[in-house]
Amino acid sequence: MPIITLKHNGTIYQRDINREGRGIYLMVFKGKQYRFQKNPDVAANRGWQLVDGSPLPDFMMRLISEELEKLNYESNIL
């Protein structure tokens, strides 16, 4: 299970991310599930969007999308 590290205003956040089928990534935090999927029709956040789950603050979504981009790239080259 990959762990992503997010840094914002001097605070470091670490989250576990699992890859599910169909290019969906799952993050569980404080009992809530967040599913992310890349949508080429969406310009914001490098195309990453929440499939379902509670909304995230804009800064968190931006940071997570950068990490998801790295994970997605790495999984495609393996």
Side-chain angles (χ1 to χ4, degrees):
M1 170 180 335
I3 297 175
I4 60 171
T5 301
L6 313 168
K7 298 175 185 175
H8 179 71
N9 288 342
T11 303
I12 298 174
Y13 304 90
Q14 289 190 320
R15 303 290 184 260
D16 295 330
I17 300 273
N18 290 315
R19 185 172 180 169
E20 295 184 337
R22 302 176 320 276
I24 295 176
Y25 288 86
L26 172 68
M27 178 180 80
V28 178
F29 179 65
K30 292 185 178 180
K32 294 182 183 178
Q33 291 186 350
Y34 300 91
R35 285 186 170 78
F36 303 92
Q37 188 170 32
K38 189 160 185 145
N39 182 345
D41 296 330
V42 176
N45 298 317
R46 300 180 184 209
W48 290 100
Q49 61 184 14
L50 279 166
V51 177
D52 55 13
S54 301
L56 291 169
D58 288 339
F59 81 90
M60 187 68 78
M61 190 63 197
R62 190 171 45 256
L63 295 171
I64 290 171
S65 66
E66 292 172 10
E67 294 299 313
L68 288 172
E69 196 68 15
K70 292 176 194 173
L71 286 175
N72 194 50
Y73 176 77
E74 291 170 3
S75 68
N76 287 331
I77 61 172
L78 296 177

